[in-house]
């Protein structure tokens, strides 16, 4: 059922130029802070979410046959996704190369996406589902040794192709991974880390560089991490009857909460079959983008939780400047506690206007 990535593929012999270490790349990823996730595939034609084939027990051949005529991405749609990310104030983007349905979205889209990301200075991320509901070799599982080996060999080949055909990749986001030892993950990673020595990897069971949390923010206080959320309650792929269920204010809170706790926010859209982004999704991202541009000083190149990790004041810092999100205002005076040094001044970030305050010990009243 798969659509081939490149004809006549041959692995290229090359010695990569290492410009930075993985430790340095992790710091850059953490500074990015905010990214766009794009779920796009044959499921976009049906408009019933990315798990349709599985949930409705659709026959893979019929599923493909019925969907393929309607899968007509408009030229330039991937560039428009990246431009939306830029307007949203995002610093990286992750595109589903294929989901569990097994359909690869195509070279032209990936080239356009990766090129537009680099043109706009965004980090390039590829999502790849190891699971493939359309492949009988996968469905047979590791117990069927001969067929499983075909599946594993094909998986290695396809991922190597992704690592050689689209330039420098910053982030590989796995999904649907079997236990690492069943598909020779370490062997594969020796190859792809030689091809992409600066690339970060998540969600494959071992040899990961960061934690990616799906639908929650239980991050890693001792490492880098992100939370990924969909704008639609119905799923990650396009859901025609599931409008956006979050407000711009809620997304801004999610982002600032994650930045306070040291994590990134990866916010998902589900384009239609032609690649267009539904208006409610586009509008929300652009609205939040206006807030991000005003407050970017407190969101990106920052240190998290300068007072304490569980600080409910939601703070970040840069040098000797702390940034505080003004919430929990219940009266004419606002009291902030846990401050360990002498405050010089307090100002609004958007206007620079000074705020009068009184400090007594580790508490300040505004």
């Amino acid at each position: 059922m798969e659509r081939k990535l490149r004809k006549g593929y041959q692995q290229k012999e090359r010695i990569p130029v290492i410009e930075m270490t993985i430790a340095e790349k992790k710091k850059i990823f953490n500074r990015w802070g905010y990214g766009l996730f794009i779920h796009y595939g044959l499921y976009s034609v049906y408009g019933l979410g990315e798990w349709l084939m599985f949930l409705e027990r659709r026959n893979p051949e019929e599923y493909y046959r019925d969907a393929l005529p309607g899968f007509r991405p408009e030229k330039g749609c991937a560039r428009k996704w990246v431009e939306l990310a830029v307007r949203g104030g995002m610093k990286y983007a992750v595109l589903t190369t294929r989901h569990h349905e097994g359909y690869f979205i195509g070279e032209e889209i990936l080239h356009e996406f990766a090129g537009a990301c680099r043109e706009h200075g965004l980090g390039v991320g590829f999502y790849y589902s190891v699971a493939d509901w359309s492949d009988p070799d996968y469905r047979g599982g590791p117990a069927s040794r001969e067929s499983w080996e075909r599946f594993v060999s094909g998986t290695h080949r396809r991922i190597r192709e992704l690592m050689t055909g689209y330039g420098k990749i910053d982030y590989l986001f796995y999904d649907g991974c079997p236990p690492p030892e069943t598909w020779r993950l370490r062997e594969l990673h020796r190859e792809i880390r030689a091809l992409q020595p600066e690339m970060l990897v998540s969600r494959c069971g071992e040899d990961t560089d960061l934690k990616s949390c799906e639908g929650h923010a239980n991050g890693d206080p001792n490492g880098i991490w992100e939370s990924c959320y969909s704008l639609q309650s119905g799923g990650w792929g396009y859901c025609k009857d599931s409008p956006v269920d979050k407000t711009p204010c809620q997304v801004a809170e999610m982002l600032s909460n994650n930045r306070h706790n040291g994590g990134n926010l990866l916010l998902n859209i589900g384009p239609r079959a032609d690649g267009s982004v539904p208006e409610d999704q586009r509008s929300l991202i652009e609205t939040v983008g206006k807030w991000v541009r005003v407050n970017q000083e407190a969101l990106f190149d920052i240190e998290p939780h300068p007072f304490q990790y569980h600080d409910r004041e939601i703070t970040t810092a840069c040098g000797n400047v702390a940034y505080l999100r003004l919430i929990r205002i219940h009266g004419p005076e606002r009291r902030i506690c846990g401050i360990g040094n002498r405050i010089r001044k307090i100002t609004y970030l958007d206007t620079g206007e000074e705020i009068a305050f009184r400090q007594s010990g580790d508490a300040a009243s505004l």
Side-chain angles (χ1 to χ4, degrees):
M1 291 295 178
E2 75 177 49
R3 176 175 172 179
K4 294 187 179 297
L5 278 74
R6 291 196 291 145
K7 295 180 179 178
Y9 165 77
Q10 291 183 342
Q11 185 173 343
K12 300 176 182 177
E13 295 287 340
R14 67 183 183 90
I15 300 175
V17 177
I18 301 176
E19 298 178 353
M20 68 180 70
T21 65
I22 288 294
E24 291 169 330
K25 189 59 171 284
K26 287 181 178 181
K27 292 179 182 178
I28 289 175
F29 180 87
N30 181 253
R31 288 201 296 268
W32 284 341
Y34 187 30
L36 182 67
F37 207 180
I38 305 119
H39 271 68
Y40 185 59
L42 284 187
Y43 46 82
S44 305
V45 175
Y46 293 102
L48 297 171
E50 73 290 350
W51 274 68
L52 176 66
M53 181 190 288
F54 178 85
L55 294 175
E56 296 192 358
R57 305 297 190 268
R58 298 285 184 99
N59 177 281
E61 291 185 1
E62 295 176 357
Y63 178 94
Y64 270 61
R65 183 197 64 208
D66 294 344
L68 280 169
F71 190 72
R72 292 290 181 266
E74 293 183 357
K75 187 175 181 59
C77 65
R79 173 172 291 278
K80 290 180 180 179
W81 302 334
V82 173
E83 291 170 349
L84 175 61
V86 172
R87 294 196 300 276
M90 295 159 166
K91 306 299 182 183
Y92 66 110
V94 179
L95 173 61
T96 53
T97 63
R98 78 166 198 176
H99 204 268
H100 309 329
E101 67 181 12
Y103 183 77
F104 179 76
I105 63 172
E107 295 177 26
E108 186 175 349
I109 292 176
L110 293 190
H111 279 299
E112 184 179 285
F113 168 78
C117 283
R118 296 187 192 103
E119 180 183 328
H120 288 282
L122 270 61
V124 180
F126 281 167
Y127 164 111
Y128 183 87
S129 169
V130 179
D132 183 354
W133 298 323
S134 71
D135 185 351
D137 290 338
Y138 168 76
R139 296 198 303 268
S144 305
R145 294 186 179 180
E146 184 177 344
S147 61
W148 184 257
E149 180 54 34
R150 284 197 302 268
F151 165 73
V152 171
S153 297
T155 297
H156 283 213
R157 174 178 55 80
R158 288 186 289 271
I159 293 176
R160 286 196 303 265
E161 290 172 348
L162 283 175
M163 297 299 104
T164 57
Y166 303 96
K168 182 180 175 181
I169 308 303
D170 296 291
Y171 182 24
L172 176 58
F173 184 117
Y174 280 112
D175 201 5
C177 292
E181 67 278 3
T182 65
W183 57 295
R184 304 198 307 275
L185 176 67
R186 291 185 180 182
E187 174 190 320
L188 173 64
H189 278 197
R190 281 195 296 271
E191 296 184 69
I192 67 172
R193 287 192 182 277
L195 296 167
Q196 298 281 354
E198 298 175 20
M199 182 179 68
L200 302 181
V201 175
S202 72
R203 295 169 57 105
C204 59
E206 65 179 36
D207 192 28
T208 60
D209 301 304
L210 64 109
K211 179 179 180 180
S212 186
C213 310
E214 184 173 325
H216 66 85
N218 297 325
D220 182 359
N222 301 311
I224 63 169
W225 60 279
E226 69 181 0
S227 296
C228 49
Y229 290 90
S230 179
L231 286 179
Q232 306 170 98
S233 61
W236 299 79
Y238 173 54
C239 301
K240 58 187 177 183
D241 296 319
S242 180
V244 166
D245 68 345
K246 297 172 180 63
T247 68
C249 184
Q250 287 172 327
V251 172
E253 288 187 0
M254 290 161 58
L255 175 56
S256 58
N257 288 350
N258 276 24
R259 299 307 288 151
H260 163 72
N261 289 319
N264 293 11
L265 175 64
L266 185 61
L267 191 64
N268 179 76
I269 59 172
R272 302 182 186 93
D274 63 0
S276 62
V277 179
E279 172 63 22
D280 56 349
Q281 298 181 41
R282 182 193 61 76
S283 176
L284 184 144
I285 287 174
E286 291 176 342
T287 299
V288 175
K290 295 175 183 177
W291 176 85
V292 168
R293 281 191 291 276
V294 170
N295 294 281
Q296 58 186 327
E297 183 181 324
L299 295 170
F300 296 115
D301 193 7
I302 50 89
E303 302 168 21
H305 48 81
F307 301 143
Q308 55 172 305
Y309 183 72
H310 295 291
D311 176 15
R312 292 184 179 275
E313 300 296 351
I314 313 302
T315 50
T316 57
C318 182
N320 65 351
V321 178
Y323 303 94
L324 173 71
R325 196 180 77 195
L326 290 177
I327 57 175
R328 297 196 312 109
I329 298 177
H330 301 300
E333 186 172 88
R334 178 72 165 83
R335 186 174 173 84
I336 303 167
C337 301
I339 301 167
N341 50 20
R342 179 60 56 183
I343 301 172
R344 291 184 188 174
K345 66 178 179 179
I346 302 176
T347 64
Y348 288 110
L349 185 55
D350 58 347
T351 65
E353 176 188 354
E354 289 201 25
I355 301 173
F357 68 94
R358 303 185 310 276
Q359 183 173 4
S360 176
D362 72 345
S365 299
L366 312 184

